[in-house]
mmCIF file of all heavy atoms in Angstrom:
data_model
loop_
_atom_site.group_PDB
_atom_site.id
_atom_site.type_symbol
_atom_site.label_atom_id
_atom_site.label_comp_id
_atom_site.label_asym_id
_atom_site.label_seq_id
_atom_site.Cartn_x
_atom_site.Cartn_y
_atom_site.Cartn_z
ATOM 1 N N ILE A 1 172.783 87.966 123.041
ATOM 2 C CA ILE A 1 172.506 88.373 121.724
ATOM 3 C C ILE A 1 172.807 87.348 120.718
ATOM 4 O O ILE A 1 171.969 86.954 119.731
ATOM 5 C CB ILE A 1 173.175 89.705 121.360
ATOM 6 C CG1 ILE A 1 172.625 90.811 122.143
ATOM 7 C CG2 ILE A 1 173.044 89.980 119.839
ATOM 8 C CD1 ILE A 1 173.426 92.142 122.042
ATOM 9 N N LEU A 2 173.956 86.727 120.888
ATOM 10 C CA LEU A 2 174.277 85.714 119.983
ATOM 11 C C LEU A 2 173.422 84.490 120.055
ATOM 12 O O LEU A 2 173.153 83.773 119.092
ATOM 13 C CB LEU A 2 175.808 85.208 120.368
ATOM 14 C CG LEU A 2 176.881 86.212 120.065
ATOM 15 C CD1 LEU A 2 178.204 85.769 120.578
ATOM 16 C CD2 LEU A 2 176.944 86.465 118.575
ATOM 17 N N ILE A 3 173.026 84.125 121.272
ATOM 18 C CA ILE A 3 171.970 82.954 121.578
ATOM 19 C C ILE A 3 170.682 83.287 120.838
ATOM 20 O O ILE A 3 170.125 82.481 120.045
ATOM 21 C CB ILE A 3 171.773 82.624 122.910
ATOM 22 C CG1 ILE A 3 173.099 82.105 123.622
ATOM 23 C CG2 ILE A 3 170.650 81.666 123.132
ATOM 24 C CD1 ILE A 3 173.024 81.868 125.055
ATOM 25 N N TRP A 4 170.224 84.484 120.948
ATOM 26 C CA TRP A 4 168.947 84.997 120.312
ATOM 27 C C TRP A 4 169.125 84.906 118.876
ATOM 28 O O TRP A 4 168.222 84.509 118.109
ATOM 29 C CB TRP A 4 168.625 86.416 120.765
ATOM 30 C CG TRP A 4 167.408 86.919 120.218
ATOM 31 C CD1 TRP A 4 166.144 86.723 120.732
ATOM 32 C CD2 TRP A 4 167.218 87.729 118.996
ATOM 33 N NE1 TRP A 4 165.199 87.292 119.935
ATOM 34 C CE2 TRP A 4 165.806 87.932 118.890
ATOM 35 C CE3 TRP A 4 168.076 88.203 118.049
ATOM 36 C CZ2 TRP A 4 165.255 88.714 117.783
ATOM 37 C CZ3 TRP A 4 167.652 89.014 117.034
ATOM 38 C CH2 TRP A 4 166.222 89.163 116.903
ATOM 39 N N LEU A 5 170.247 85.396 118.306
ATOM 40 C CA LEU A 5 170.471 85.302 116.763
ATOM 41 C C LEU A 5 170.527 83.912 116.316
ATOM 42 O O LEU A 5 169.980 83.634 115.211
ATOM 43 C CB LEU A 5 171.729 86.054 116.462
ATOM 44 C CG LEU A 5 171.690 87.617 116.607
ATOM 45 C CD1 LEU A 5 173.106 88.095 116.349
ATOM 46 C CD2 LEU A 5 170.640 88.212 115.544
ATOM 47 N N ARG A 6 171.187 83.061 117.161
ATOM 48 C CA ARG A 6 171.287 81.585 116.755
ATOM 49 C C ARG A 6 169.893 81.047 116.636
ATOM 50 O O ARG A 6 169.490 80.291 115.737
ATOM 51 C CB ARG A 6 172.157 80.839 117.737
ATOM 52 C CG ARG A 6 172.284 79.320 117.427
ATOM 53 C CD ARG A 6 172.643 78.545 118.636
ATOM 54 N NE ARG A 6 171.579 78.652 119.664
ATOM 55 C CZ ARG A 6 171.754 78.099 120.787
ATOM 56 N NH1 ARG A 6 172.847 77.589 121.277
ATOM 57 N NH2 ARG A 6 170.663 78.211 121.760
ATOM 58 N N ASN A 7 168.982 81.242 117.668
ATOM 59 C CA ASN A 7 167.686 80.671 117.750
ATOM 60 C C ASN A 7 166.812 81.240 116.655
ATOM 61 O O ASN A 7 165.942 80.585 116.011
ATOM 62 C CB ASN A 7 167.160 80.976 119.107
ATOM 63 C CG ASN A 7 167.668 80.180 120.206
ATOM 64 O OD1 ASN A 7 168.346 79.279 119.939
ATOM 65 N ND2 ASN A 7 167.522 80.756 121.420
ATOM 66 N N LEU A 8 167.052 82.554 116.251
ATOM 67 C CA LEU A 8 166.255 83.210 115.130
ATOM 68 C C LEU A 8 166.615 82.469 113.844
ATOM 69 O O LEU A 8 165.730 82.220 112.984
ATOM 70 C CB LEU A 8 166.540 84.672 115.124
ATOM 71 C CG LEU A 8 165.834 85.435 114.002
ATOM 72 C CD1 LEU A 8 164.350 85.413 114.160
ATOM 73 C CD2 LEU A 8 166.404 86.858 113.949
ATOM 74 N N PHE A 9 167.936 82.268 113.696
ATOM 75 C CA PHE A 9 168.395 81.659 112.494
ATOM 76 C C PHE A 9 167.802 80.274 112.332
ATOM 77 O O PHE A 9 167.354 79.803 111.223
ATOM 78 C CB PHE A 9 169.949 81.579 112.454
ATOM 79 C CG PHE A 9 170.515 80.855 111.202
ATOM 80 C CD1 PHE A 9 170.597 81.494 110.026
ATOM 81 C CD2 PHE A 9 170.922 79.536 111.355
ATOM 82 C CE1 PHE A 9 171.081 80.802 108.914
ATOM 83 C CE2 PHE A 9 171.467 78.758 110.246
ATOM 84 C CZ PHE A 9 171.493 79.445 109.082
ATOM 85 N N ILE A 10 167.859 79.480 113.444
ATOM 86 C CA ILE A 10 167.247 78.135 113.339
ATOM 87 C C ILE A 10 165.796 78.098 113.127
ATOM 88 O O ILE A 10 165.363 77.304 112.290
ATOM 89 C CB ILE A 10 167.597 77.401 114.696
ATOM 90 C CG1 ILE A 10 169.082 77.138 114.964
ATOM 91 C CG2 ILE A 10 166.837 76.060 114.717
ATOM 92 C CD1 ILE A 10 169.494 76.620 116.265
ATOM 93 N N PHE A 11 165.128 79.125 113.608
ATOM 94 C CA PHE A 11 163.575 79.207 113.399
ATOM 95 C C PHE A 11 163.330 79.424 112.039
ATOM 96 O O PHE A 11 162.469 78.793 111.358
ATOM 97 C CB PHE A 11 163.019 80.263 114.300
ATOM 98 C CG PHE A 11 161.668 80.627 113.987
ATOM 99 C CD1 PHE A 11 160.480 79.811 114.348
ATOM 100 C CD2 PHE A 11 161.371 81.812 113.282
ATOM 101 C CE1 PHE A 11 159.256 80.065 114.013
ATOM 102 C CE2 PHE A 11 160.057 82.071 112.861
ATOM 103 C CZ PHE A 11 159.003 81.250 113.252
ATOM 104 N N LEU A 12 164.096 80.556 111.478
ATOM 105 C CA LEU A 12 163.816 80.848 110.012
ATOM 106 C C LEU A 12 164.220 79.753 109.043
ATOM 107 O O LEU A 12 163.537 79.523 108.126
ATOM 108 C CB LEU A 12 164.709 82.105 109.681
ATOM 109 C CG LEU A 12 164.222 83.415 110.476
ATOM 110 C CD1 LEU A 12 165.233 84.582 109.987
ATOM 111 C CD2 LEU A 12 162.799 83.780 110.004
ATOM 112 N N PHE A 13 165.241 79.032 109.452
ATOM 113 C CA PHE A 13 165.628 77.863 108.573
ATOM 114 C C PHE A 13 164.600 76.733 108.577
ATOM 115 O O PHE A 13 164.220 76.282 107.469
ATOM 116 C CB PHE A 13 167.026 77.301 108.997
ATOM 117 C CG PHE A 13 167.447 76.158 108.277
ATOM 118 C CD1 PHE A 13 167.896 76.222 107.028
ATOM 119 C CD2 PHE A 13 167.448 74.822 108.956
ATOM 120 C CE1 PHE A 13 168.250 75.005 106.225
ATOM 121 C CE2 PHE A 13 167.973 73.784 108.196
ATOM 122 C CZ PHE A 13 168.320 73.810 106.885
ATOM 123 N N VAL A 14 164.031 76.364 109.795
ATOM 124 C CA VAL A 14 163.149 75.344 109.822
ATOM 125 C C VAL A 14 161.740 75.917 109.194
ATOM 126 O O VAL A 14 161.134 75.064 108.415
ATOM 127 C CB VAL A 14 162.872 74.930 111.328
ATOM 128 C CG1 VAL A 14 161.702 74.030 111.448
ATOM 129 C CG2 VAL A 14 164.134 74.329 111.913
ATOM 130 N N PHE A 15 161.461 77.107 109.419
ATOM 131 C CA PHE A 15 160.261 77.600 108.936
ATOM 132 C C PHE A 15 160.240 77.593 107.336
ATOM 133 O O PHE A 15 159.250 77.284 106.702
ATOM 134 C CB PHE A 15 159.887 79.019 109.371
ATOM 135 C CG PHE A 15 158.720 79.644 108.783
ATOM 136 C CD1 PHE A 15 157.554 79.416 109.240
ATOM 137 C CD2 PHE A 15 158.902 80.640 107.797
ATOM 138 C CE1 PHE A 15 156.328 80.006 108.720
ATOM 139 C CE2 PHE A 15 157.750 81.270 107.254
ATOM 140 C CZ PHE A 15 156.547 80.894 107.685
ATOM 141 N N SER A 16 161.399 78.021 106.818
ATOM 142 C CA SER A 16 161.558 77.996 105.332
ATOM 143 C C SER A 16 161.350 76.631 104.778
ATOM 144 O O SER A 16 160.799 76.415 103.653
ATOM 145 C CB SER A 16 162.934 78.626 104.877
ATOM 146 O OG SER A 16 163.934 77.907 105.252
ATOM 147 N N LEU A 17 161.967 75.596 105.519
ATOM 148 C CA LEU A 17 161.913 74.268 104.920
ATOM 149 C C LEU A 17 160.495 73.799 105.002
ATOM 150 O O LEU A 17 159.907 73.185 104.056
ATOM 151 C CB LEU A 17 162.746 73.260 105.842
ATOM 152 C CG LEU A 17 164.234 73.366 105.741
ATOM 153 C CD1 LEU A 17 164.924 72.579 106.592
ATOM 154 C CD2 LEU A 17 164.652 73.110 104.289
ATOM 155 N N LEU A 18 159.682 74.053 106.031
ATOM 156 C CA LEU A 18 158.277 73.716 106.234
ATOM 157 C C LEU A 18 157.391 74.385 105.063
ATOM 158 O O LEU A 18 156.621 73.694 104.643
ATOM 159 C CB LEU A 18 157.816 74.043 107.553
ATOM 160 C CG LEU A 18 158.415 73.108 108.666
ATOM 161 C CD1 LEU A 18 157.881 73.558 110.084
ATOM 162 C CD2 LEU A 18 158.046 71.748 108.576
ATOM 163 N N TRP A 19 157.815 75.617 104.817
ATOM 164 C CA TRP A 19 157.018 76.447 103.906
ATOM 165 C C TRP A 19 157.218 75.873 102.451
ATOM 166 O O TRP A 19 156.263 75.734 101.729
ATOM 167 C CB TRP A 19 157.646 77.831 103.878
ATOM 168 C CG TRP A 19 156.753 78.898 103.177
ATOM 169 C CD1 TRP A 19 155.511 78.608 102.600
ATOM 170 C CD2 TRP A 19 157.097 80.285 103.108
ATOM 171 N NE1 TRP A 19 155.031 79.925 102.030
ATOM 172 C CE2 TRP A 19 156.037 80.786 102.379
ATOM 173 C CE3 TRP A 19 158.163 81.063 103.539
ATOM 174 C CZ2 TRP A 19 156.038 82.202 101.962
ATOM 175 C CZ3 TRP A 19 158.148 82.431 103.220
ATOM 176 C CH2 TRP A 19 156.973 83.022 102.421
ATOM 177 N N VAL A 20 158.485 75.431 102.176
ATOM 178 C CA VAL A 20 158.703 74.847 100.773
ATOM 179 C C VAL A 20 158.039 73.432 100.745
ATOM 180 O O VAL A 20 157.363 73.146 99.686
ATOM 181 C CB VAL A 20 160.177 74.693 100.635
ATOM 182 C CG1 VAL A 20 160.568 73.893 99.361
ATOM 183 C CG2 VAL A 20 160.733 76.110 100.421
ATOM 184 N N VAL A 21 158.143 72.646 101.829
ATOM 185 C CA VAL A 21 157.577 71.363 101.779
ATOM 186 C C VAL A 21 156.010 71.493 101.583
ATOM 187 O O VAL A 21 155.290 70.779 100.800
ATOM 188 C CB VAL A 21 157.803 70.532 103.065
ATOM 189 C CG1 VAL A 21 156.909 69.238 103.214
ATOM 190 C CG2 VAL A 21 159.321 70.137 103.015
ATOM 191 N N ALA A 22 155.394 72.474 102.362
ATOM 192 C CA ALA A 22 153.859 72.645 102.134
ATOM 193 C C ALA A 22 153.671 73.167 100.702
ATOM 194 O O ALA A 22 152.573 72.726 100.172
ATOM 195 C CB ALA A 22 153.496 73.714 103.250
ATOM 196 N N GLY A 23 154.434 73.919 100.165
ATOM 197 C CA GLY A 23 154.236 74.375 98.861
ATOM 198 C C GLY A 23 154.262 73.363 97.753
ATOM 199 O O GLY A 23 153.812 73.559 96.664
ATOM 200 N N LYS A 24 154.887 72.261 98.146
ATOM 201 C CA LYS A 24 154.872 71.087 97.090
ATOM 202 C C LYS A 24 153.460 70.496 96.882
ATOM 203 O O LYS A 24 153.147 69.983 95.811
ATOM 204 C CB LYS A 24 155.743 70.094 97.583
ATOM 205 C CG LYS A 24 155.945 68.809 96.679
ATOM 206 C CD LYS A 24 156.978 67.802 97.092
ATOM 207 C CE LYS A 24 157.035 66.549 96.285
ATOM 208 N NZ LYS A 24 157.541 66.893 94.897
ATOM 209 N N VAL A 25 152.593 70.654 97.860
ATOM 210 C CA VAL A 25 151.221 70.090 97.730
ATOM 211 C C VAL A 25 150.042 71.116 97.844
ATOM 212 O O VAL A 25 149.028 70.895 97.304
ATOM 213 C CB VAL A 25 151.008 69.031 98.694
ATOM 214 C CG1 VAL A 25 151.966 67.736 98.353
ATOM 215 C CG2 VAL A 25 151.306 69.318 100.188
ATOM 216 N N VAL A 26 150.252 72.172 98.496
ATOM 217 C CA VAL A 26 149.256 73.181 98.780
ATOM 218 C C VAL A 26 149.189 74.247 97.685
ATOM 219 O O VAL A 26 150.329 74.735 97.395
ATOM 220 C CB VAL A 26 149.379 73.790 100.214
ATOM 221 C CG1 VAL A 26 148.362 74.864 100.381
ATOM 222 C CG2 VAL A 26 149.533 72.728 101.391
ATOM 223 N N PRO A 27 148.061 74.415 97.139
ATOM 224 C CA PRO A 27 147.922 75.444 96.101
ATOM 225 C C PRO A 27 148.412 76.874 96.657
ATOM 226 O O PRO A 27 148.130 77.110 97.763
ATOM 227 C CB PRO A 27 146.464 75.410 95.740
ATOM 228 C CG PRO A 27 146.056 74.115 96.001
ATOM 229 C CD PRO A 27 146.765 73.695 97.340
ATOM 230 N N VAL A 28 148.968 77.642 95.805
ATOM 231 C CA VAL A 28 149.538 79.001 96.145
ATOM 232 C C VAL A 28 148.446 79.913 95.721
ATOM 233 O O VAL A 28 148.414 80.329 94.523
ATOM 234 C CB VAL A 28 150.786 79.226 95.546
ATOM 235 C CG1 VAL A 28 151.313 80.641 95.946
ATOM 236 C CG2 VAL A 28 151.879 78.207 95.941
ATOM 237 N N TYR A 29 147.506 80.290 96.676
ATOM 238 C CA TYR A 29 146.387 81.243 96.254
ATOM 239 C C TYR A 29 146.894 82.682 96.237
ATOM 240 O O TYR A 29 146.210 83.475 95.505
ATOM 241 C CB TYR A 29 145.263 81.017 97.268
ATOM 242 C CG TYR A 29 144.634 79.663 97.121
ATOM 243 C CD1 TYR A 29 144.640 78.706 98.114
ATOM 244 C CD2 TYR A 29 143.861 79.236 95.783
ATOM 245 C CE1 TYR A 29 144.093 77.500 98.091
ATOM 246 C CE2 TYR A 29 143.423 78.123 95.768
ATOM 247 C CZ TYR A 29 143.349 77.163 96.746
ATOM 248 O OH TYR A 29 142.767 75.901 96.694
ATOM 249 N N TYR A 30 147.870 83.054 97.094
ATOM 250 C CA TYR A 30 148.222 84.451 97.229
ATOM 251 C C TYR A 30 149.848 84.499 97.339
ATOM 252 O O TYR A 30 150.342 83.494 97.775
ATOM 253 C CB TYR A 30 147.651 85.085 98.415
ATOM 254 C CG TYR A 30 146.111 85.168 98.364
ATOM 255 C CD1 TYR A 30 145.367 84.315 99.112
ATOM 256 C CD2 TYR A 30 145.536 86.196 97.643
ATOM 257 C CE1 TYR A 30 144.004 84.299 99.047
ATOM 258 C CE2 TYR A 30 144.051 86.128 97.550
ATOM 259 C CZ TYR A 30 143.300 85.219 98.271
ATOM 260 O OH TYR A 30 141.935 85.289 98.191
ATOM 261 N N THR A 31 150.342 85.523 96.766
ATOM 262 C CA THR A 31 151.795 85.736 96.888
ATOM 263 C C THR A 31 152.025 87.156 97.412
ATOM 264 O O THR A 31 151.130 87.897 97.391
ATOM 265 C CB THR A 31 152.489 85.543 95.578
ATOM 266 O OG1 THR A 31 152.036 86.639 94.663
ATOM 267 C CG2 THR A 31 152.175 84.317 94.833
ATOM 268 N N PRO A 32 153.218 87.384 97.875
ATOM 269 C CA PRO A 32 153.559 88.816 98.383
ATOM 270 C C PRO A 32 153.424 89.839 97.300
ATOM 271 O O PRO A 32 152.862 90.897 97.535
ATOM 272 C CB PRO A 32 155.109 88.732 98.827
ATOM 273 C CG PRO A 32 155.203 87.208 99.147
ATOM 274 C CD PRO A 32 154.378 86.438 98.210
ATOM 275 N N LEU A 33 153.744 89.500 96.004
ATOM 276 C CA LEU A 33 153.598 90.448 95.003
ATOM 277 C C LEU A 33 152.086 91.033 94.839
ATOM 278 O O LEU A 33 151.889 92.119 94.513
ATOM 279 C CB LEU A 33 154.047 89.850 93.660
ATOM 280 C CG LEU A 33 154.028 90.952 92.405
ATOM 281 C CD1 LEU A 33 154.890 92.093 92.768
ATOM 282 C CD2 LEU A 33 154.357 90.170 91.158
ATOM 283 N N MET A 34 151.101 89.985 94.996
ATOM 284 C CA MET A 34 149.782 90.350 94.861
ATOM 285 C C MET A 34 149.271 91.472 95.843
ATOM 286 O O MET A 34 148.672 92.485 95.524
ATOM 287 C CB MET A 34 148.885 89.118 95.095
ATOM 288 C CG MET A 34 149.015 88.127 93.987
ATOM 289 S SD MET A 34 148.033 86.639 94.396
ATOM 290 C CE MET A 34 148.513 85.397 93.160
ATOM 291 N N PHE A 35 149.753 91.380 97.045
ATOM 292 C CA PHE A 35 149.497 92.357 98.023
ATOM 293 C C PHE A 35 150.214 93.697 97.836
ATOM 294 O O PHE A 35 149.628 94.753 98.132
ATOM 295 C CB PHE A 35 149.802 91.843 99.468
ATOM 296 C CG PHE A 35 148.868 90.641 99.922
ATOM 297 C CD1 PHE A 35 149.390 89.379 99.852
ATOM 298 C CD2 PHE A 35 147.435 90.809 100.005
ATOM 299 C CE1 PHE A 35 148.594 88.276 100.282
ATOM 300 C CE2 PHE A 35 146.704 89.800 100.427
ATOM 301 C CZ PHE A 35 147.153 88.456 100.476
ATOM 302 N N ILE A 36 151.420 93.597 97.350
ATOM 303 C CA ILE A 36 152.186 94.729 97.058
ATOM 304 C C ILE A 36 151.581 95.459 95.850
ATOM 305 O O ILE A 36 151.391 96.727 95.998
ATOM 306 C CB ILE A 36 153.698 94.342 96.565
ATOM 307 C CG1 ILE A 36 154.497 93.831 97.843
ATOM 308 C CG2 ILE A 36 154.310 95.614 96.007
ATOM 309 C CD1 ILE A 36 155.826 93.267 97.479
ATOM 310 N N ARG A 37 151.057 94.798 94.894
ATOM 311 C CA ARG A 37 150.363 95.569 93.754
ATOM 312 C C ARG A 37 149.081 96.233 94.230
ATOM 313 O O ARG A 37 148.639 97.296 93.888
ATOM 314 C CB ARG A 37 150.101 94.458 92.662
ATOM 315 C CG ARG A 37 151.356 93.955 92.007
ATOM 316 C CD ARG A 37 152.141 95.058 91.261
ATOM 317 N NE ARG A 37 153.168 94.586 90.485
ATOM 318 C CZ ARG A 37 154.386 94.971 90.429
ATOM 319 N NH1 ARG A 37 154.711 95.985 91.256
ATOM 320 N NH2 ARG A 37 155.301 94.441 89.693
ATOM 321 N N LEU A 38 148.286 95.481 95.227
ATOM 322 C CA LEU A 38 147.049 96.019 95.704
ATOM 323 C C LEU A 38 147.408 97.285 96.324
ATOM 324 O O LEU A 38 146.668 98.391 96.329
ATOM 325 C CB LEU A 38 146.402 95.090 96.636
ATOM 326 C CG LEU A 38 145.642 93.947 95.999
ATOM 327 C CD1 LEU A 38 145.173 92.946 97.091
ATOM 328 C CD2 LEU A 38 144.471 94.431 95.190
ATOM 329 N N TYR A 39 148.471 97.322 97.253
ATOM 330 C CA TYR A 39 148.935 98.612 97.919
ATOM 331 C C TYR A 39 149.215 99.598 96.882
ATOM 332 O O TYR A 39 148.866 100.810 97.184
ATOM 333 C CB TYR A 39 150.119 98.272 98.825
ATOM 334 C CG TYR A 39 150.583 99.509 99.543
ATOM 335 C CD1 TYR A 39 149.851 100.015 100.626
ATOM 336 C CD2 TYR A 39 151.745 100.134 99.267
ATOM 337 C CE1 TYR A 39 150.295 101.143 101.351
ATOM 338 C CE2 TYR A 39 152.190 101.199 99.856
ATOM 339 C CZ TYR A 39 151.473 101.782 100.945
ATOM 340 O OH TYR A 39 151.908 102.805 101.603
ATOM 341 N N GLU A 40 149.936 99.439 95.855
ATOM 342 C CA GLU A 40 150.314 100.365 94.884
ATOM 343 C C GLU A 40 149.024 100.869 94.157
ATOM 344 O O GLU A 40 149.043 102.123 93.969
ATOM 345 C CB GLU A 40 151.238 99.726 93.859
ATOM 346 C CG GLU A 40 152.574 99.408 94.328
ATOM 347 C CD GLU A 40 153.435 98.700 93.419
ATOM 348 O OE1 GLU A 40 153.015 98.222 92.240
ATOM 349 O OE2 GLU A 40 154.709 98.526 93.639
ATOM 350 N N GLN A 41 148.088 100.009 93.928
ATOM 351 C CA GLN A 41 146.822 100.471 93.222
ATOM 352 C C GLN A 41 146.212 101.514 94.314
ATOM 353 O O GLN A 41 145.545 102.504 93.844
ATOM 354 C CB GLN A 41 145.908 99.351 93.051
ATOM 355 C CG GLN A 41 146.551 98.442 91.845
ATOM 356 C CD GLN A 41 145.696 97.049 91.778
ATOM 357 O OE1 GLN A 41 144.639 96.915 92.431
ATOM 358 N NE2 GLN A 41 146.070 96.226 90.942
ATOM 359 N N PHE A 42 146.139 101.142 95.567
ATOM 360 C CA PHE A 42 145.505 101.915 96.428
ATOM 361 C C PHE A 42 146.168 103.360 96.613
ATOM 362 O O PHE A 42 145.555 104.409 96.644
ATOM 363 C CB PHE A 42 145.462 101.311 97.925
ATOM 364 C CG PHE A 42 145.027 102.152 99.003
ATOM 365 C CD1 PHE A 42 143.616 102.357 99.182
ATOM 366 C CD2 PHE A 42 145.880 102.748 99.882
ATOM 367 C CE1 PHE A 42 143.269 103.213 100.247
ATOM 368 C CE2 PHE A 42 145.546 103.513 100.918
ATOM 369 C CZ PHE A 42 144.034 103.860 101.168
ATOM 370 N N GLN A 43 147.504 103.300 96.620
ATOM 371 C CA GLN A 43 148.362 104.521 96.724
ATOM 372 C C GLN A 43 148.045 105.498 95.478
ATOM 373 O O GLN A 43 148.022 106.631 95.609
ATOM 374 C CB GLN A 43 149.869 104.259 96.787
ATOM 375 C CG GLN A 43 150.278 103.671 98.084
ATOM 376 C CD GLN A 43 150.219 104.638 99.156
ATOM 377 O OE1 GLN A 43 149.244 104.867 99.925
ATOM 378 N NE2 GLN A 43 151.371 105.412 99.304
ATOM 379 N N ASP A 44 147.840 104.794 94.386
ATOM 380 C CA ASP A 44 147.654 105.548 93.047
ATOM 381 C C ASP A 44 146.159 105.962 92.847
ATOM 382 O O ASP A 44 145.870 106.566 91.838
ATOM 383 C CB ASP A 44 148.133 104.694 91.919
ATOM 384 C CG ASP A 44 149.665 104.529 91.869
ATOM 385 O OD1 ASP A 44 150.390 105.361 92.511
ATOM 386 O OD2 ASP A 44 150.124 103.562 91.315
#
């Protein structure tokens, strides 16, 4: 379990770094909030 948690932490850390680096040059066309609002509109 500890090894799995360690690997998960490393993966999330590396993924977050790559996500931020990509965000420096790649346009942000969609965000989590956009999809949340769409779901709220659908629910209402």
